[in-house]
Amino acid sequence: MALDIGVVLGNVFSIQTILLMIFGVIIGIIIGALPGLSSTMGVALFIPVTYAMDPGTGLAFLSAIYMASTYGGSISAILICTPGTPAAIITAMDGYELTKQGRSGEALSMATIASFFGGIISVVALMLIAPPLSKLVIEFGSAEMFLLAVLGLTIIVSLSQGSMVKGLIVGLTGVLLATVGTDTLTGAYRFTFDKMELFGGMPVVPTVIGAYSASQVFALAVQKRSTIQYDSEDNVKKTYNIVSVKEIIKNGFNIVRSGIIGTIVGIVPGAGMSIASALAYNTTKNTSKKPGLFGKGSLEGLAASEAANNGVVGGSLVPLLTLGIPGNSVSAVFLGGLIIHGLRPGPSLFTKYANISYTLFIGLLVSTVLMMIAGLVGAKYFGKIATVPTNVIAPVIMSLCVIGSYAIRNNIFDVQVMFAFGLIGYAMSRLKFFSAPLVLGLILGPIAESEFRRAMMISNGDVSAILASGISKFLFLLIIGFLVYPFIQEKVKEFREKKEEPVVEN
């Protein structure tokens, strides 16, 4: 069946589809903002609901949940330093600092704009260049995936400026924690202490919730102020300001670049949003005129992270729809949505079922616009959360931490892990250690380890095989560049400051 654009637009802009997409956006934002819930859970939960729908409408509904939940994680990350999803970890670093400065409205609206453009870029790429880009996926083997994971880990260098040793200690601790569980290649149990709950590895979501969210509750419990961060009425009033058009234009190139990075990373199976946001953040910091603001309240860093996160959404659907290879866990669940409607990935989706596919594409564009509207309208009011007294907000945050940790596997052990890492995270903050490298090491460590060992098995232990392909060489050069550039930048800064010092004549 040839593509009929009239039929596609009729499907997308029917009252039923529009209402479903609005509902999907609202549900997605709520799911993303609640700690412990994820885009994967949201899409999986509503797949059965779409069975009675028209295939195009059902897929557009699921894509609205996917896009909005990816953005939703930034809301709690910015307001209460509680990443709703692991993808929002990088966002929390600058977002919460902006909130403490009374700029939560600016941070939320910038996150919304960046997520919108990142999503639009990824959907356009999905529509126009899916087949050519999908060929790149085939070139990524174990060696390339290993180097991509290491590239994501290089952000630890940027996060550790001023205290490199502390950052590396925390990052390597995260990588070591990632070795807990069942060896994916041999099936042997490692560092599990015969606890069945650890056979699947250190639970990532409870660890993230503990290190970021529970630790904040403990910090609130010992502070003397009555609210999370405000001690003046002027700062409270600032929370209702949204980001200026001038600031958006200034970050235009940054947002576009980060959206493209997210889209490309999303196309690579298994890479995920954590790598995308880390790469975009690192790239932006290394090219910024004000790198010192990163981690202390930078709208540049926040925009980069959010544009990349939502850029992954469309990118992850490229290999899924063209080759049947899910780009990440959410698109793997999304595959179930295709199958339930009798659709199979491949050329037929763009020929025989073109009307359904383009209903999904246009629907995803419309959902992204609806997400932006909801985010900008809500940005003025979400900030009120930050003015709630600590004796009210702290128990609420802890309750969400417990529910989010328990809901993943219905296991009290995960709640215990959350509390343990909450105490560890609080102690780390008191000692001026960084939490982000710990989580990055925990998430990216397993990818790096398994892919490296798989590459060694394929090459019979020949380490040089890691750099055999052109893509590997390119990724290796990027790794070296990201590691060396901050030091070069610092030396250049010192040289300029020394050169500008006034000469004192005797």
Side-chain angles (χ1 to χ4, degrees):
M1 183 187 298
L3 173 64
D4 188 332
I5 196 66
V7 172
V8 170
L9 294 177
N11 290 339
V12 173
F13 292 101
S14 67
I15 295 177
Q16 178 190 13
T17 305
I18 291 293
L19 289 176
L20 281 170
M21 287 191 293
I22 292 173
F23 178 64
V25 166
I26 294 172
I27 289 295
I29 291 175
I30 293 172
I31 288 173
L34 292 176
L37 302 184
S38 64
S39 303
T40 306
M41 294 173 64
V43 173
L45 183 65
F46 284 92
I47 279 180
V49 177
T50 68
Y51 183 71
M53 300 179 188
D54 174 78
T57 300
L59 294 175
F61 171 61
L62 293 177
S63 68
I65 296 175
Y66 185 9
M67 182 68 77
S69 59
T70 302
Y71 154 72
S74 68
I75 297 173
S76 51
I78 290 169
L79 294 178
I80 52 178
C81 199
T82 304
T85 61
I89 292 168
I90 305 298
T91 302
M93 294 190 304
D94 285 294
Y96 188 60
E97 290 299 319
L98 287 164
T99 296
K100 289 197 292 184
Q101 297 168 20
R103 301 170 65 192
S104 60
E106 286 184 68
L108 287 166
S109 51
M110 177 59 89
T112 303
I113 295 294
S115 296
F116 166 74
F117 282 107
I120 292 294
I121 289 168
S122 71
V123 178
V124 171
L126 175 63
M127 294 173 64
L128 301 180
I129 54 178
L133 283 180
S134 64
K135 295 177 183 178
L136 182 66
V137 176
I138 303 175
E139 302 298 325
F140 270 75
S142 296
E144 289 79 11
M145 284 302 300
F146 163 69
L147 291 171
L148 189 63
V150 173
L151 186 59
L153 288 170
T154 59
I155 192 180
I156 291 175
V157 174
S158 293
L159 297 179
S160 307
Q161 288 301 299
S163 186
M164 181 68 68
V165 174
K166 288 183 177 181
L168 291 175
I169 289 173
V170 176
L172 290 173
T173 301
V175 173
L176 288 174
L177 286 173
T179 62
V180 174
T182 306
D183 190 313
T184 55
L185 296 181
T186 66
Y189 296 131
R190 306 183 303 188
F191 314 116
T192 59
F193 304 101
D194 294 326
K195 288 192 72 68
M196 188 171 63
E197 294 87 352
L198 290 175
F199 288 176
M202 184 65 69
V204 175
V205 173
T207 301
V208 172
I209 292 175
Y212 277 90
S213 311
S215 63
Q216 287 299 316
V217 175
F218 297 138
L220 291 175
V222 299
Q223 75 173 24
K224 296 180 180 179
R225 290 175 292 183
S226 61
T227 57
I228 291 180
Q229 66 282 79
Y230 300 122
D231 51 16
S232 74
E233 189 65 27
D234 289 338
N235 275 350
V236 175
K237 291 177 181 178
K238 289 181 187 177
T239 60
Y240 305 108
N241 297 334
I242 63 172
V243 69
S244 66
V245 175
K246 181 180 178 181
E247 190 69 41
I248 295 171
I249 294 173
K250 189 171 76 174
N251 276 279
F253 178 73
N254 170 31
I255 291 172
V256 172
R257 177 183 58 199
S258 300
I260 292 172
I261 290 174
T263 301
I264 294 173
V265 172
I267 292 169
V268 180
M273 295 177 184
S274 298
I275 290 180
S277 60
L279 290 183
Y281 186 88
N282 212 15
T283 302
T284 302
K285 181 177 181 180
N286 288 339
T287 57
S288 173
K289 294 180 180 178
K290 298 178 180 179
L293 285 180
F294 283 64
K296 299 176 183 177
S298 169
L299 283 172
E300 276 187 281
L302 184 146
S305 173
E306 283 304 301
N309 284 345
N310 281 77
V312 171
V313 175
S316 67
L317 295 179
V318 171
L320 174 70
L321 299 179
T322 57
L323 301 173
I325 303 173
N328 55 22
S329 59
V330 193
S331 57
V333 174
F334 204 92
L335 179 60
L338 291 173
I339 294 172
I340 202 173
H341 289 289
L343 302 172
R344 290 185 177 277
S348 63
L349 279 179
F350 302 93
T351 53
K352 184 178 180 181
Y353 301 107
N355 286 344
I356 295 175
S357 297
Y358 279 85
T359 298
L360 165 62
F361 299 157
I362 303 298
L364 193 52
L365 279 174
V366 174
S367 297
T368 307
V369 174
L370 293 172
M371 176 195 74
M372 180 186 67
I373 295 171
L376 290 178
V377 170
K380 285 190 173 184
Y381 306 103
F382 292 147
K384 291 182 180 180
I385 295 174
T387 65
V388 177
T390 53
N391 61 351
V392 175
I393 195 67
V396 172
I397 296 174
M398 184 56 77
S399 298
L400 290 173
C401 290
V402 172
I403 294 170
S405 301
Y406 184 79
I408 304 297
R409 301 190 297 181
N410 296 328
N411 195 324
I412 197 65
F413 176 79
D414 290 347
V415 179
Q416 294 169 349
V417 169
M418 181 272 295
F419 273 113
F421 275 92
L423 292 171
I424 292 171
Y426 173 68
M428 287 169 59
S429 66
R430 297 287 292 181
L431 296 171
K432 306 299 181 183
F433 280 83
F434 310 95
S435 296
L438 176 74
V439 179
L440 280 174
L442 186 60
I443 293 174
L444 301 181
I447 300 174
E449 183 206 1
S450 60
E451 297 298 345
F452 176 77
R453 292 175 63 191
R454 193 171 288 115
M456 289 299 94
M457 291 175 65
I458 294 172
S459 65
N460 293 319
D462 183 7
V463 179
S464 63
I466 294 290
L467 299 177
S469 70
I471 295 176
S472 293
K473 292 183 177 70
F474 176 70
L475 290 173
F476 181 73
L477 290 175
L478 283 179
I479 291 170
I480 298 300
F482 278 139
L483 289 174
V484 173
Y485 187 80
F487 297 102
I488 296 176
Q489 192 177 40
E490 188 66 28
K491 293 297 181 184
V492 171
K493 182 180 177 183
E494 290 176 3
F495 175 76
R496 286 177 178 173
E497 289 176 351
K498 188 175 180 180
K499 190 176 180 180
E500 291 172 1
E501 285 180 1
V503 178
V504 180
E505 296 182 0
N506 293 326

